[in-house]
Amino acid sequence: MSEISDLAARLEALEIKAAYQDQTIEDLNATITAQWAELTRLQRLVARLEDQLREAQNAGPQGPEPPPPHY
């Protein structure tokens, strides 16, 4: 009878371990999904900032900047 209770205890320990591992995997998946969304948002933001910088460089004066009027 002792062998059966030992096997039952070992089986229960394995089931508990599997349940914790399943929860950890779900938590990690949620974290990765959130980070992926943030990465995508930041990539779009950087692309938009690059476009704005390019536009500002093209719209600016092409020659040297004239001195301010008080000189």
Side-chain angles (χ1 to χ4, degrees):
M1 197 70 165
S2 175
E3 284 183 33
I4 293 176
S5 63
D6 287 345
L7 287 174
R10 289 177 59 195
L11 179 60
E12 184 178 347
L14 288 173
E15 288 173 342
I16 291 171
K17 192 179 244 186
Y20 279 115
Q21 287 176 348
D22 287 344
Q23 184 60 47
T24 300
I25 289 170
E26 288 177 25
D27 293 345
L28 289 171
N29 187 44
T31 301
I32 289 171
T33 302
Q35 288 179 343
W36 191 269
E38 180 69 7
L39 179 63
T40 301
R41 186 187 72 79
L42 290 172
Q43 286 173 332
R44 277 188 245 140
L45 178 62
V46 167
R48 194 169 61 224
L49 289 172
E50 286 174 339
D51 290 342
Q52 289 176 358
L53 179 61
R54 209 173 294 115
E55 287 174 11
Q57 287 173 340
N58 291 337
Q62 300 301 325
E65 187 174 320
H70 65 276
Y71 278 106

